[in-house]
Amino acid sequence: MKKVNSNSRRDFMKFLGLGSLAAVVPTVSSAATIPHVVVVGGGFSGATCAKYLKMWGGSSVDVTVIEPNATYVSPILSNLVLNGQKTTANLSFSYANHSSKYAVNMVHSMVNSVDKTTQTLTLANGNSIKYDKLVLAPGIDFIKTNDYDMTKIPHAWKAGEQTNLLKAQIDSMVDGDTFTMTIPAAPYRCPPGPYERACVVADYLKNKKGFNNCKVVVLDANAKIIVEEETFSSVFATHGVEYRPNSMVTAVDDTTKTLMYTENDVSKTLSSTVLNVIPNQKAAPIIFTAGVNSGNWAPINPLSYESVLSSGIYIIGDSQATGQPKAGHIGNSEAKVCADAILRTLSGVALYASPKTNSACYSPTSATEASWLTGVFKYDAQTQTMVASNTAAGGTSVANYSKMFNWSGNLFADTFA
Ligand SMILES: Cc1cc2nc3c(=O)[nH]c(=O)nc-3n(C[C@H](O)[C@H](O)[C@H](O)COP(=O)(O)OP(=O)(O)OC[C@H]3O[C@@H](n4cnc5c(N)ncnc54)[C@H](O)[C@@H]3O)c2cc1C
Protein backbone atom coordinates (compact mmCIF):
# COMPACT_ATOMS: atom_id res chain seq x y z
CA MET A 1 0.00 0.00 0.00
CA LYS A 2 1.10 3.56 -0.74
CA LYS A 3 0.28 6.69 1.32
CA VAL A 4 -2.99 8.47 0.46
CA ASN A 5 -3.09 12.21 -0.35
CA SER A 6 -6.11 14.52 -0.59
CA ASN A 7 -6.40 14.01 -4.39
CA SER A 8 -7.00 10.30 -3.78
CA ARG A 9 -9.94 11.05 -1.52
CA ARG A 10 -11.38 13.51 -4.09
CA ASP A 11 -11.13 10.80 -6.81
CA PHE A 12 -13.12 8.33 -4.71
CA MET A 13 -15.83 10.89 -4.02
CA LYS A 14 -16.00 11.99 -7.66
CA PHE A 15 -16.46 8.36 -8.73
CA LEU A 16 -19.29 7.92 -6.25
CA GLY A 17 -20.91 11.22 -7.26
CA LEU A 18 -20.55 12.35 -3.65
CA GLY A 19 -18.58 15.56 -4.14
CA SER A 20 -20.95 17.57 -1.93
CA LEU A 21 -21.75 14.77 0.50
CA ALA A 22 -18.41 14.44 2.16
CA ALA A 23 -19.95 13.16 5.37
CA VAL A 24 -21.08 9.94 3.65
CA VAL A 25 -17.54 8.87 2.84
CA PRO A 26 -15.35 7.95 5.78
CA THR A 27 -12.41 10.31 6.09
CA VAL A 28 -9.11 8.75 5.11
CA SER A 29 -6.50 9.86 7.61
CA SER A 30 -3.20 11.23 6.38
CA ALA A 31 -1.52 8.12 7.76
CA ALA A 32 -3.69 5.88 5.57
CA THR A 33 -2.30 4.15 2.51
CA ILE A 34 -3.47 3.60 -1.07
CA PRO A 35 -5.04 0.17 -1.52
CA HIS A 36 -3.51 -2.15 -4.11
CA VAL A 37 -5.89 -4.12 -6.33
CA VAL A 38 -4.25 -6.90 -8.33
CA VAL A 39 -6.06 -8.30 -11.38
CA VAL A 40 -4.96 -11.74 -12.61
CA GLY A 41 -5.62 -12.08 -16.35
CA GLY A 42 -5.81 -9.42 -19.07
CA GLY A 43 -8.69 -10.76 -21.18
CA PHE A 44 -12.08 -9.10 -21.75
CA SER A 45 -13.00 -9.21 -18.07
CA GLY A 46 -9.61 -8.52 -16.42
CA ALA A 47 -8.52 -5.74 -18.80
CA THR A 48 -11.90 -3.99 -18.43
CA CYS A 49 -11.89 -4.26 -14.65
CA ALA A 50 -8.38 -2.76 -14.37
CA LYS A 51 -9.22 0.10 -16.75
CA TYR A 52 -12.45 1.02 -14.93
CA LEU A 53 -10.87 0.74 -11.47
CA LYS A 54 -8.42 3.46 -12.53
CA MET A 55 -10.94 5.50 -14.57
CA TRP A 56 -13.33 5.65 -11.61
CA GLY A 57 -10.88 5.35 -8.73
CA GLY A 58 -8.07 7.57 -10.06
CA SER A 59 -5.17 8.04 -7.69
CA SER A 60 -7.16 6.57 -4.78
CA VAL A 61 -6.27 3.06 -5.90
CA ASP A 62 -3.19 1.29 -7.27
CA VAL A 63 -4.00 -1.33 -9.90
CA THR A 64 -1.72 -4.04 -11.27
CA VAL A 65 -2.61 -6.54 -14.01
CA ILE A 66 -0.65 -9.78 -14.11
CA GLU A 67 -0.90 -11.42 -17.53
CA PRO A 68 1.73 -13.63 -19.21
CA ASN A 69 1.19 -12.35 -22.76
CA ALA A 70 2.27 -8.95 -24.08
CA THR A 71 -0.67 -8.95 -26.49
CA TYR A 72 -4.14 -10.42 -26.13
CA VAL A 73 -5.65 -12.29 -29.08
CA SER A 74 -9.44 -12.04 -29.06
CA PRO A 75 -11.35 -15.31 -29.39
CA ILE A 76 -14.27 -13.12 -30.50
CA LEU A 77 -14.30 -13.10 -34.34
CA SER A 78 -11.55 -15.76 -34.37
CA ASN A 79 -13.68 -18.10 -36.51
CA LEU A 80 -13.12 -15.50 -39.25
CA VAL A 81 -9.41 -16.38 -39.19
CA LEU A 82 -10.39 -19.88 -40.31
CA ASN A 83 -12.00 -18.59 -43.51
CA GLY A 84 -9.37 -15.92 -44.16
CA GLN A 85 -11.56 -12.89 -43.39
CA LYS A 86 -9.29 -11.90 -40.47
CA THR A 87 -5.82 -12.72 -39.20
CA THR A 88 -4.83 -13.24 -35.57
CA ALA A 89 -2.82 -9.99 -35.94
CA ASN A 90 -6.11 -8.17 -36.72
CA LEU A 91 -7.52 -9.50 -33.44
CA SER A 92 -4.48 -8.66 -31.26
CA PHE A 93 -4.52 -5.93 -28.62
CA SER A 94 -1.67 -4.51 -26.56
CA TYR A 95 -1.91 -3.13 -23.04
CA ALA A 96 -0.22 0.16 -24.00
CA ASN A 97 -3.30 2.23 -23.10
CA HIS A 98 -3.61 0.52 -19.75
CA SER A 99 -0.12 1.72 -18.87
CA SER A 100 -0.04 5.14 -20.53
CA LYS A 101 -3.65 6.37 -20.28
CA TYR A 102 -4.86 4.71 -17.09
CA ALA A 103 -1.64 4.22 -15.08
CA VAL A 104 -2.30 0.51 -14.61
CA ASN A 105 0.88 -1.41 -13.72
CA MET A 106 1.40 -4.29 -16.17
CA VAL A 107 3.39 -7.35 -15.10
CA HIS A 108 3.91 -10.03 -17.74
CA SER A 109 4.07 -13.31 -15.89
CA MET A 110 1.86 -16.16 -14.73
CA VAL A 111 0.52 -16.29 -11.17
CA ASN A 112 1.46 -19.68 -9.71
CA SER A 113 0.01 -19.45 -6.22
CA VAL A 114 -2.09 -17.35 -3.85
CA ASP A 115 -1.29 -17.07 -0.15
CA LYS A 116 -4.57 -15.83 1.30
CA THR A 117 -3.17 -15.32 4.81
CA THR A 118 -0.39 -12.95 3.79
CA GLN A 119 -2.32 -11.73 0.70
CA THR A 120 0.65 -12.50 -1.52
CA LEU A 121 0.87 -13.89 -5.04
CA THR A 122 3.85 -15.89 -6.26
CA LEU A 123 4.67 -15.42 -9.92
CA ALA A 124 6.33 -17.74 -12.44
CA ASN A 125 9.14 -15.16 -12.84
CA GLY A 126 10.11 -15.73 -9.19
CA ASN A 127 8.71 -12.43 -7.86
CA SER A 128 5.91 -12.02 -5.37
CA ILE A 129 3.25 -9.31 -5.19
CA LYS A 130 1.05 -8.24 -2.27
CA TYR A 131 -2.59 -7.32 -2.74
CA ASP A 132 -5.35 -5.71 -0.69
CA LYS A 133 -8.06 -6.90 -3.08
CA LEU A 134 -7.55 -9.65 -5.65
CA VAL A 135 -9.54 -10.01 -8.89
CA LEU A 136 -9.21 -13.36 -10.65
CA ALA A 137 -10.11 -13.15 -14.36
CA PRO A 138 -8.22 -16.14 -15.78
CA GLY A 139 -10.76 -17.59 -18.26
CA ILE A 140 -11.14 -21.33 -18.81
CA ASP A 141 -9.27 -24.61 -18.77
CA PHE A 142 -10.04 -27.82 -20.69
CA ILE A 143 -11.12 -31.20 -19.34
CA LYS A 144 -9.32 -33.59 -21.69
CA THR A 145 -10.61 -37.13 -22.12
CA ASN A 146 -7.04 -38.46 -22.43
CA ASP A 147 -3.53 -37.17 -22.92
CA TYR A 148 -3.45 -36.32 -26.63
CA ASP A 149 -1.41 -33.66 -28.45
CA MET A 150 -3.41 -30.45 -28.87
CA THR A 151 -1.06 -29.19 -31.57
CA LYS A 152 -2.21 -32.13 -33.73
CA ILE A 153 -5.85 -31.93 -32.62
CA PRO A 154 -6.30 -28.17 -32.05
CA HIS A 155 -9.22 -26.82 -30.04
CA ALA A 156 -8.79 -23.22 -31.30
CA TRP A 157 -11.00 -22.18 -28.37
CA LYS A 158 -8.32 -19.92 -26.91
CA ALA A 159 -7.26 -17.69 -29.77
CA GLY A 160 -3.74 -17.25 -31.17
CA GLU A 161 -1.41 -20.09 -32.11
CA GLN A 162 -4.25 -22.62 -31.77
CA THR A 163 -6.39 -20.67 -34.27
CA ASN A 164 -3.53 -20.61 -36.79
CA LEU A 165 -2.93 -24.36 -36.35
CA LEU A 166 -6.55 -25.15 -37.16
CA LYS A 167 -6.55 -22.71 -40.09
CA ALA A 168 -3.46 -24.47 -41.57
CA GLN A 169 -5.12 -27.88 -41.21
CA ILE A 170 -8.30 -26.68 -42.93
CA ASP A 171 -6.25 -25.12 -45.72
CA SER A 172 -4.45 -28.42 -46.36
CA MET A 173 -7.77 -30.23 -47.01
CA VAL A 174 -8.56 -31.42 -50.55
CA ASP A 175 -11.94 -32.08 -52.12
CA GLY A 176 -13.52 -35.18 -50.58
CA ASP A 177 -11.86 -34.73 -47.15
CA THR A 178 -13.77 -34.58 -43.85
CA PHE A 179 -13.73 -31.87 -41.17
CA THR A 180 -15.10 -33.12 -37.84
CA MET A 181 -15.64 -30.93 -34.81
CA THR A 182 -16.99 -31.70 -31.35
CA ILE A 183 -19.10 -29.42 -29.14
CA PRO A 184 -18.60 -29.62 -25.36
CA ALA A 185 -21.36 -30.17 -22.81
CA ALA A 186 -22.74 -26.85 -21.51
CA PRO A 187 -21.65 -24.71 -19.75
CA TYR A 188 -18.76 -23.74 -22.00
CA ARG A 189 -17.21 -20.55 -23.43
CA CYS A 190 -19.50 -18.81 -25.97
CA PRO A 191 -22.67 -20.89 -26.42
CA PRO A 192 -23.20 -20.10 -30.17
CA GLY A 193 -19.45 -20.22 -31.02
CA PRO A 194 -19.10 -23.89 -32.04
CA TYR A 195 -22.24 -23.87 -34.23
CA GLU A 196 -20.95 -20.66 -35.82
CA ARG A 197 -17.63 -22.40 -36.55
CA ALA A 198 -19.33 -25.32 -38.32
CA CYS A 199 -21.23 -22.87 -40.57
CA VAL A 200 -18.12 -20.80 -41.37
CA VAL A 201 -15.96 -23.83 -42.21
CA ALA A 202 -18.67 -25.48 -44.35
CA ASP A 203 -19.21 -22.23 -46.27
CA TYR A 204 -15.44 -21.77 -46.73
CA LEU A 205 -14.84 -25.28 -48.09
CA LYS A 206 -17.77 -25.08 -50.47
CA ASN A 207 -17.89 -21.47 -51.61
CA LYS A 208 -14.29 -20.26 -51.31
CA LYS A 209 -12.35 -23.49 -51.98
CA GLY A 210 -14.97 -24.81 -54.42
CA PHE A 211 -15.02 -28.28 -52.80
CA ASN A 212 -18.38 -29.97 -53.39
CA ASN A 213 -17.42 -33.32 -51.89
CA CYS A 214 -16.08 -32.34 -48.46
CA LYS A 215 -18.01 -33.43 -45.39
CA VAL A 216 -18.47 -31.32 -42.24
CA VAL A 217 -19.52 -33.43 -39.24
CA VAL A 218 -20.59 -31.95 -35.88
CA LEU A 219 -20.69 -34.18 -32.80
CA ASP A 220 -22.58 -32.30 -30.08
CA ALA A 221 -22.45 -33.49 -26.45
CA ASN A 222 -25.71 -31.61 -25.89
CA ALA A 223 -29.15 -33.00 -26.71
CA LYS A 224 -29.80 -30.27 -29.29
CA ILE A 225 -28.43 -26.99 -30.67
CA ILE A 226 -28.44 -24.98 -27.44
CA VAL A 227 -28.89 -21.46 -28.88
CA GLU A 228 -30.28 -19.92 -32.12
CA GLU A 229 -31.55 -23.37 -33.08
CA GLU A 230 -33.61 -22.24 -36.05
CA THR A 231 -30.79 -20.19 -37.57
CA PHE A 232 -28.07 -22.81 -37.20
CA SER A 233 -30.30 -25.74 -38.30
CA SER A 234 -31.20 -23.86 -41.44
CA VAL A 235 -27.55 -22.99 -42.29
CA PHE A 236 -26.53 -26.61 -41.55
CA ALA A 237 -29.21 -27.77 -44.00
CA THR A 238 -28.02 -25.32 -46.68
CA HIS A 239 -24.40 -26.54 -46.41
CA GLY A 240 -25.18 -30.21 -45.80
CA VAL A 241 -23.53 -30.19 -42.34
CA GLU A 242 -24.01 -33.57 -40.65
CA TYR A 243 -25.24 -32.76 -37.11
CA ARG A 244 -25.28 -35.49 -34.44
CA PRO A 245 -26.57 -34.56 -30.95
CA ASN A 246 -25.96 -36.59 -27.76
CA SER A 247 -22.46 -37.43 -28.99
CA MET A 248 -19.84 -37.44 -26.25
CA VAL A 249 -16.13 -37.85 -26.88
CA THR A 250 -14.55 -40.60 -24.76
CA ALA A 251 -11.01 -40.65 -26.22
CA VAL A 252 -8.92 -39.01 -28.95
CA ASP A 253 -6.15 -40.70 -30.96
CA ASP A 254 -3.89 -37.93 -32.30
CA THR A 255 -1.84 -40.28 -34.53
CA THR A 256 -4.70 -41.72 -36.57
CA LYS A 257 -6.99 -38.70 -36.02
CA THR A 258 -9.68 -40.96 -34.66
CA LEU A 259 -12.38 -40.17 -32.14
CA MET A 260 -13.91 -42.64 -29.74
CA TYR A 261 -17.34 -41.40 -28.67
CA THR A 262 -20.80 -42.44 -27.61
CA GLU A 263 -23.85 -41.40 -29.61
CA ASN A 264 -27.07 -41.90 -27.65
CA ASP A 265 -25.04 -44.20 -25.36
CA VAL A 266 -23.82 -46.40 -28.24
CA SER A 267 -19.99 -46.59 -28.55
CA LYS A 268 -18.62 -45.53 -31.93
CA THR A 269 -15.38 -44.46 -33.65
CA LEU A 270 -14.80 -41.92 -36.39
CA SER A 271 -11.67 -40.93 -38.33
CA SER A 272 -11.39 -37.56 -40.02
CA THR A 273 -8.90 -35.59 -42.14
CA VAL A 274 -9.18 -32.68 -39.68
CA LEU A 275 -10.32 -33.18 -36.11
CA ASN A 276 -11.29 -30.12 -34.09
CA VAL A 277 -12.08 -31.30 -30.57
CA ILE A 278 -13.40 -28.55 -28.28
CA PRO A 279 -13.18 -30.27 -24.89
CA ASN A 280 -15.50 -29.85 -21.91
CA GLN A 281 -14.49 -26.89 -19.77
CA LYS A 282 -13.86 -25.70 -16.23
CA ALA A 283 -12.43 -22.59 -14.57
CA ALA A 284 -8.73 -21.86 -15.13
CA PRO A 285 -6.20 -23.57 -12.80
CA ILE A 286 -5.54 -20.54 -10.54
CA ILE A 287 -9.19 -20.70 -9.36
CA PHE A 288 -8.49 -24.19 -7.97
CA THR A 289 -5.06 -23.22 -6.61
CA ALA A 290 -6.67 -20.29 -4.77
CA GLY A 291 -9.35 -22.62 -3.39
CA VAL A 292 -12.25 -20.47 -4.61
CA ASN A 293 -13.97 -23.15 -6.70
CA SER A 294 -16.98 -25.27 -5.93
CA GLY A 295 -16.91 -28.07 -8.48
CA ASN A 296 -15.72 -26.75 -11.83
CA TRP A 297 -16.48 -23.03 -11.36
CA ALA A 298 -16.20 -20.22 -8.80
CA PRO A 299 -19.33 -19.19 -6.84
CA ILE A 300 -19.59 -15.43 -6.21
CA ASN A 301 -21.96 -12.77 -4.86
CA PRO A 302 -23.45 -11.12 -8.01
CA LEU A 303 -23.60 -7.73 -6.23
CA SER A 304 -19.80 -7.56 -6.19
CA TYR A 305 -18.35 -10.73 -7.78
CA GLU A 306 -16.64 -11.38 -4.44
CA SER A 307 -16.06 -15.07 -3.79
CA VAL A 308 -18.56 -16.63 -1.39
CA LEU A 309 -15.69 -18.83 -0.19
CA SER A 310 -12.97 -16.25 0.41
CA SER A 311 -13.45 -12.57 1.21
CA GLY A 312 -11.34 -10.01 -0.64
CA ILE A 313 -11.07 -12.25 -3.73
CA TYR A 314 -13.29 -11.43 -6.71
CA ILE A 315 -13.91 -13.66 -9.76
CA ILE A 316 -15.14 -12.31 -13.10
CA GLY A 317 -15.47 -13.61 -16.66
CA ASP A 318 -15.66 -17.21 -17.77
CA SER A 319 -14.50 -18.67 -14.43
CA GLN A 320 -17.49 -17.40 -12.41
CA ALA A 321 -20.49 -19.58 -11.57
CA THR A 322 -23.52 -17.30 -11.73
CA GLY A 323 -25.19 -19.10 -14.63
CA GLN A 324 -24.62 -16.05 -16.85
CA PRO A 325 -23.11 -17.01 -20.22
CA LYS A 326 -19.37 -17.46 -20.46
CA ALA A 327 -18.73 -14.72 -23.00
CA GLY A 328 -16.54 -11.66 -23.54
CA HIS A 329 -19.25 -9.01 -23.80
CA ILE A 330 -20.83 -10.01 -20.49
CA GLY A 331 -17.35 -10.46 -18.96
CA ASN A 332 -16.76 -6.77 -19.77
CA SER A 333 -20.11 -5.97 -18.10
CA GLU A 334 -19.34 -8.05 -14.98
CA ALA A 335 -15.96 -6.31 -14.74
CA LYS A 336 -17.64 -2.91 -14.34
CA VAL A 337 -19.98 -4.19 -11.60
CA CYS A 338 -16.93 -5.64 -9.86
CA ALA A 339 -14.80 -2.46 -10.22
CA ASP A 340 -17.67 -0.38 -8.83
CA ALA A 341 -18.14 -2.81 -5.92
CA ILE A 342 -14.43 -2.81 -5.01
CA LEU A 343 -14.25 1.00 -5.01
CA ARG A 344 -17.40 1.21 -2.88
CA THR A 345 -16.05 -1.38 -0.43
CA LEU A 346 -12.72 0.43 -0.14
CA SER A 347 -14.55 3.65 0.67
CA GLY A 348 -17.05 2.10 3.08
CA VAL A 349 -20.08 2.77 0.86
CA ALA A 350 -22.85 0.17 0.40
CA LEU A 351 -22.81 -2.00 -2.73
CA TYR A 352 -25.15 -1.01 -5.57
CA ALA A 353 -28.26 -3.10 -4.91
CA SER A 354 -29.64 -3.71 -8.44
CA PRO A 355 -26.83 -4.50 -10.88
CA LYS A 356 -27.63 -5.45 -14.48
CA THR A 357 -25.33 -7.04 -17.00
CA ASN A 358 -25.76 -7.68 -20.68
CA SER A 359 -24.49 -10.17 -23.21
CA ALA A 360 -24.19 -10.07 -27.00
CA CYS A 361 -22.83 -12.64 -29.40
CA TYR A 362 -22.59 -12.06 -33.13
CA SER A 363 -22.07 -15.25 -35.13
CA PRO A 364 -20.69 -15.19 -38.65
CA THR A 365 -22.47 -17.96 -40.55
CA SER A 366 -20.53 -17.45 -43.81
CA ALA A 367 -18.06 -14.95 -45.31
CA THR A 368 -20.92 -12.49 -45.85
CA GLU A 369 -23.64 -13.14 -43.25
CA ALA A 370 -24.02 -13.17 -39.46
CA SER A 371 -26.70 -13.67 -36.80
CA TRP A 372 -26.88 -12.34 -33.22
CA LEU A 373 -28.10 -13.20 -29.73
CA THR A 374 -28.48 -10.84 -26.75
CA GLY A 375 -29.65 -11.03 -23.16
CA VAL A 376 -29.98 -8.70 -20.18
CA PHE A 377 -29.44 -10.14 -16.69
CA LYS A 378 -30.91 -8.47 -13.58
CA TYR A 379 -30.10 -9.11 -9.93
CA ASP A 380 -33.02 -10.75 -8.14
CA ALA A 381 -32.84 -9.86 -4.44
CA GLN A 382 -35.07 -12.76 -3.38
CA THR A 383 -32.98 -15.51 -4.92
CA GLN A 384 -29.74 -13.47 -4.85
CA THR A 385 -29.04 -14.56 -8.42
CA MET A 386 -28.75 -12.95 -11.85
CA VAL A 387 -31.93 -13.65 -13.80
CA ALA A 388 -32.17 -13.48 -17.60
CA SER A 389 -34.64 -11.01 -19.10
CA ASN A 390 -35.15 -9.43 -22.53
CA THR A 391 -33.36 -12.12 -24.52
CA ALA A 392 -33.54 -11.68 -28.28
CA ALA A 393 -32.00 -13.11 -31.44
CA GLY A 394 -31.61 -11.89 -35.01
CA GLY A 395 -31.38 -14.35 -37.91
CA THR A 396 -28.56 -14.54 -40.40
CA SER A 397 -28.23 -11.64 -42.87
CA VAL A 398 -25.72 -9.52 -44.78
CA ALA A 399 -26.76 -6.45 -42.73
CA ASN A 400 -25.91 -8.27 -39.49
CA TYR A 401 -22.47 -9.13 -40.86
CA SER A 402 -21.51 -5.45 -41.06
CA LYS A 403 -23.21 -4.63 -37.72
CA MET A 404 -21.01 -7.34 -36.17
CA PHE A 405 -17.91 -5.19 -36.78
CA ASN A 406 -19.52 -2.08 -35.20
CA TRP A 407 -20.41 -4.12 -32.12
CA SER A 408 -17.01 -5.82 -31.82
CA GLY A 409 -15.16 -2.54 -32.47
CA ASN A 410 -17.02 -0.93 -29.56
CA LEU A 411 -16.34 -3.87 -27.25
CA PHE A 412 -12.63 -3.98 -28.16
CA ALA A 413 -12.32 -0.21 -27.60
CA ASP A 414 -14.17 -0.31 -24.28
CA THR A 415 -11.78 -3.02 -23.10
CA PHE A 416 -8.41 -1.96 -24.53
CA ALA A 417 -8.53 1.68 -25.77
C1 LIG B 1 -14.89 -18.66 -31.64
C2 LIG B 1 -15.34 -17.80 -30.48
C3 LIG B 1 -16.26 -16.79 -30.69
C4 LIG B 1 -16.69 -16.00 -29.62
N1 LIG B 1 -17.63 -15.03 -29.86
C5 LIG B 1 -18.09 -14.29 -28.82
C6 LIG B 1 -19.09 -13.28 -29.03
O1 LIG B 1 -19.61 -13.09 -30.14
N2 LIG B 1 -19.49 -12.55 -27.95
C7 LIG B 1 -18.97 -12.74 -26.71
O2 LIG B 1 -19.36 -12.03 -25.79
N3 LIG B 1 -18.03 -13.71 -26.48
C8 LIG B 1 -17.60 -14.49 -27.49
N4 LIG B 1 -16.65 -15.46 -27.26
C9 LIG B 1 -16.25 -15.78 -25.86
C10 LIG B 1 -15.15 -14.87 -25.31
O3 LIG B 1 -14.04 -14.83 -26.15
C11 LIG B 1 -14.73 -15.35 -23.92
O4 LIG B 1 -15.88 -15.61 -23.16
C12 LIG B 1 -13.89 -14.29 -23.24
O5 LIG B 1 -12.65 -14.21 -23.88
C13 LIG B 1 -13.70 -14.59 -21.75
O6 LIG B 1 -13.00 -13.54 -21.17
P1 LIG B 1 -12.17 -13.78 -19.82
O7 LIG B 1 -11.57 -12.47 -19.47
O8 LIG B 1 -13.00 -14.48 -18.82
O9 LIG B 1 -11.04 -14.85 -20.23
P2 LIG B 1 -9.89 -14.74 -21.33
O10 LIG B 1 -10.28 -13.85 -22.43
O11 LIG B 1 -9.50 -16.14 -21.65
O12 LIG B 1 -8.69 -14.04 -20.55
C14 LIG B 1 -8.06 -14.71 -19.49
C15 LIG B 1 -6.63 -14.20 -19.40
O13 LIG B 1 -6.08 -14.65 -18.16
C16 LIG B 1 -4.73 -15.03 -18.35
N5 LIG B 1 -4.39 -15.98 -17.27
C17 LIG B 1 -4.92 -17.21 -17.05
N6 LIG B 1 -4.37 -17.75 -15.95
C18 LIG B 1 -3.48 -16.85 -15.46
C19 LIG B 1 -2.58 -16.85 -14.35
N7 LIG B 1 -2.49 -17.90 -13.52
N8 LIG B 1 -1.79 -15.77 -14.17
C20 LIG B 1 -1.86 -14.70 -15.02
N9 LIG B 1 -2.71 -14.65 -16.08
C21 LIG B 1 -3.49 -15.72 -16.29
C22 LIG B 1 -4.70 -15.62 -19.76
O14 LIG B 1 -3.40 -15.53 -20.31
C23 LIG B 1 -5.73 -14.77 -20.51
O15 LIG B 1 -5.13 -13.70 -21.21
C24 LIG B 1 -16.17 -16.24 -28.32
C25 LIG B 1 -15.22 -17.24 -28.12
C26 LIG B 1 -14.81 -18.02 -29.18
C27 LIG B 1 -13.79 -19.11 -28.95
Side-chain angles (χ1 to χ4, degrees):
M1 285 214 220
K2 283 191 209 148
K3 268 197 152 188
V4 160
N5 60 31
S6 56
N7 286 342
S8 310
R9 178 169 159 71
R10 273 199 296 277
D11 280 333
F12 258 142
M13 289 162 61
K14 201 171 94 193
F15 153 71
L16 292 166
L18 296 175
S20 58
L21 297 174
V24 179
V25 184
T27 305
V28 185
S29 82
S30 60
T33 50
I34 297 176
H36 186 205
V37 182
V38 176
V39 180
V40 177
F44 283 105
S45 57
T48 305
C49 190
K51 170 178 163 177
Y52 276 81
L53 277 164
K54 285 302 286 181
M55 262 175 58
W56 291 338
S59 57
S60 64
V61 63
D62 271 342
V63 178
T64 300
V65 171
I66 307 176
E67 159 64 51
N69 303 305
T71 53
Y72 175 77
V73 186
S74 166
I76 295 178
L77 299 189
S78 65
N79 283 332
L80 292 180
V81 174
L82 304 180
N83 70 355
Q85 301 283 298
K86 291 275 176 199
T87 63
T88 48
N90 297 149
L91 301 177
S92 296
F93 299 91
S94 86
Y95 300 98
N97 290 320
H98 278 75
S99 307
S100 64
K101 262 166 97 172
Y102 304 108
V104 169
N105 311 304
M106 291 300 307
V107 174
H108 290 298
S109 186
M110 203 66 186
V111 174
N112 281 347
S113 66
V114 180
D115 184 329
K116 291 188 275 195
T117 312
T118 60
Q119 302 193 172
T120 307
L121 305 177
T122 306
L123 311 192
N125 66 11
N127 293 338
S128 54
I129 291 190
K130 287 223 169 226
Y131 64 85
D132 296 302
K133 301 282 181 198
L134 176 63
V135 179
L136 298 177
I140 52 156
D141 192 14
F142 298 112
I143 305 170
K144 286 170 83 177
T145 48
N146 57 303
D147 187 21
Y148 62 90
D149 183 348
M150 284 182 155
T151 63
K152 291 184 184 157
I153 313 286
H155 51 77
W157 217 239
K158 293 184 185 180
E161 195 44 42
Q162 274 282 318
T163 319
N164 291 328
L165 282 172
L166 185 59
K167 161 89 177 138
Q169 290 195 5
I170 293 169
D171 279 344
S172 67
M173 288 173 71
V174 297
D175 202 7
D177 281 347
T178 303
F179 172 88
T180 302
M181 62 177 289
T182 72
I183 300 182
Y188 61 83
R189 163 174 287 181
C190 191
Y195 305 103
E196 152 192 329
R197 176 172 291 172
C199 297
V200 165
V201 172
D203 170 71
Y204 179 63
L205 292 173
K206 202 163 157 191
N207 296 324
K208 175 80 181 173
K209 295 282 211 179
F211 297 161
N212 288 314
N213 303 301
C214 279
K215 232 164 88 171
V216 173
V217 179
V218 177
L219 302 183
D220 191 345
N222 302 290
K224 64 184 185 86
I225 296 175
I226 63 171
V227 284
E228 299 179 71
E229 189 176 7
E230 212 176 300
T231 297
F232 291 124
S233 312
S234 130
V235 181
F236 284 1
T238 305
H239 292 313
V241 171
E242 195 175 309
Y243 175 70
R244 301 196 204 153
N246 290 315
S247 296
M248 287 165 216
V249 180
T250 52
V252 180
D253 183 331
D254 58 26
T255 313
T256 58
K257 295 211 172 166
T258 304
L259 276 180
M260 276 56 78
Y261 67 104
T262 59
E263 185 171 356
N264 296 313
D265 295 328
V266 178
S267 297
K268 298 189 172 176
T269 60
L270 182 154
S271 297
S272 184
T273 325
V274 175
L275 257 189
N276 171 213
V277 174
I278 307 172
N280 286 348
Q281 292 162 28
K282 60 182 177 181
I286 195 67
I287 296 290
F288 296 83
T289 310
V292 291
N293 68 299
S294 170
N296 283 341
W297 307 101
I300 53 94
N301 170 5
L303 291 178
S304 60
Y305 290 81
E306 188 169 15
S307 167
V308 298
L309 301 172
S310 198
S311 67
I313 300 185
Y314 299 74
I315 300 109
I316 52 175
D318 286 358
S319 283
Q320 52 72 32
T322 56
Q324 296 174 106
K326 301 191 182 301
H329 184 122
I330 199 165
N332 165 285
S333 196
E334 293 161 15
K336 293 170 192 169
V337 176
C338 178
D340 172 87
I342 289 174
L343 293 173
R344 283 168 184 265
T345 303
L346 289 172
S347 63
V349 171
L351 297 176
Y352 180 60
S354 326
K356 282 183 197 159
T357 54
N358 59 86
S359 182
C361 286
Y362 268 87
S363 288
T365 53
S366 72
T368 53
E369 291 195 8
S371 65
W372 55 263
L373 176 68
T374 63
V376 174
F377 293 79
K378 290 183 187 167
Y379 182 70
D380 178 67
Q382 256 187 339
T383 58
Q384 300 179 356
T385 58
M386 296 302 285
V387 176
S389 65
N390 304 332
T391 52
T396 179
S397 73
V398 171
N400 284 338
Y401 191 81
S402 70
K403 284 182 193 159
M404 174 170 69
F405 297 109
N406 296 338
W407 159 79
S408 58
N410 286 335
L411 176 61
F412 296 158
D414 193 43
T415 307
F416 294 104

